[in-house]
Amino acid sequence: MASDELANKLTRRLKIEEGAGEPAALAREEPEGGGHTESNKPSTANADTELGAKLLRRADLNDGHGESQQPSKRVFNPYTEFKEFSRKQIKDMEKMFKDYDAGKDGFIDLMELKLMMEKLGAPQTHLGLKNMIKEVDEDFDGKLSYREFLLIFRKAAAGELPEDSGLHALARLSEIDVSTEGVKGAKNFFEAKVHAINESNRFEAEIRQEQEEKKQQAEEKKQRQAAFKQLQSAFK
């Protein structure tokens, strides 16, 4: 009798996993031996339902249909969201972020932050590292995204970081000049208005400057190649 009951349960579980049966229906079978087991039906149904759901979720994950719990990466434009920094400053921050993102997953985790602070000459304790991440961890995933990394320098430029904090040491030792004279730093309303007007033109001016530098570099390279060819012809 016990072996038959066990075989029936295993058969029902297999059907549930294959999607051929309803877990909640398992408790509707008539018990053998009278009505004393009637009170056990709800608990049996709940247990079978939970088991069935777990088996189905496991089958979905094995088949690649389950929902992955990968951390989300917020899409943003650093040049428009962090207007207080120049393009060069943002590029320097991006390079620093990528250099310490050893896993190349778009995040700096606790161990990578530990290595960063050691190389900067300001090693932190395990708790100190966790507090550093917590200060700017907007999505509470326990690691730093590129946007959260930029927030460190925004807070540093605004004077919002305690001088004895790990984030202040990171910004100070990174060799990235984040000193800005934004609206908050303007001495009076007139200076703030002038800054706001000029801010809209700064981005385009920086792009033009980069294009001019690339054009000049290409021209210098062309001249060097011509001089080298002329030198070669002299020896022929």
Side-chain angles (χ1 to χ4, degrees), residues 176-201:
I176 298 175
D177 183 12
V178 295
S179 58
T180 58
E181 293 182 0
V183 174
K184 290 183 179 180
K187 293 181 180 179
N188 52 49
F189 179 77
F190 178 75
E191 290 182 6
K193 293 292 289 184
V194 171
H195 176 82
I197 294 173
N198 294 334
E199 186 70 22
S200 61
N201 298 325

Side-chain angles (χ1 to χ4, degrees), residues 66-74 105-107 139 141 143:
E67 295 182 359
S68 59
Q69 300 297 324
Q70 297 295 331
S72 59
K73 295 182 180 180
R74 175 179 173 182
D105 58 353
F107 297 91
D139 52 7
D141 60 354
K143 59 181 86 173

Side-chain angles (χ1 to χ4, degrees), residues 98-234:
K98 290 182 177 180
D99 287 345
Y100 288 102
D101 177 19
K104 304 303 177 186
D105 58 353
F107 297 91
I108 292 180
D109 59 26
L110 191 71
M111 292 306 297
E112 290 167 341
L113 181 61
K114 179 178 182 294
L115 178 62
M116 177 193 296
M117 298 307 295
E118 288 175 352
K119 287 190 174 182
L120 291 176
Q124 302 289 313
T125 64
H126 181 77
L127 181 60
L129 293 168
K130 293 180 68 175
N131 288 335
M132 288 176 64
I133 294 177
K134 184 179 180 181
E135 179 72 20
V136 291
D137 189 11
E138 294 184 324
D139 52 7
F140 306 104
D141 60 354
K143 59 181 86 173
L144 295 176
S145 65
Y146 176 43
R147 183 180 182 280
E148 291 166 345
F149 186 71
L150 293 180
L151 287 177
I152 298 173
F153 295 94
R154 168 175 282 177
K155 286 177 175 288
E160 298 177 358
L161 298 176
E163 293 186 1
D164 58 346
S165 68
L167 292 183
H168 185 274
L170 189 158
R172 177 173 53 84
L173 298 172
S174 64
E175 297 183 355
I176 298 175
D177 183 12
V178 295
S179 58
T180 58
E181 293 182 0
V183 174
K184 290 183 179 180
K187 293 181 180 179
N188 52 49
F189 179 77
F190 178 75
E191 290 182 6
K193 293 292 289 184
V194 171
H195 176 82
I197 294 173
N198 294 334
E199 186 70 22
S200 61
N201 298 325
R202 188 184 69 176
F203 185 76
E204 295 180 2
E206 290 174 347
I207 293 179
R208 288 196 298 268
Q209 183 179 356
E210 287 183 4
Q211 292 174 343
E212 288 295 330
E213 290 176 355
K214 290 181 180 179
K215 184 177 180 181
Q216 183 178 356
Q217 291 173 359
E219 184 65 26
E220 292 175 353
K221 182 178 179 181
K222 184 177 180 181
Q223 292 177 358
R224 288 195 301 269
Q225 290 176 342
F228 181 75
K229 289 181 179 179
Q230 185 177 2
L231 184 62
Q232 278 185 322
S233 62

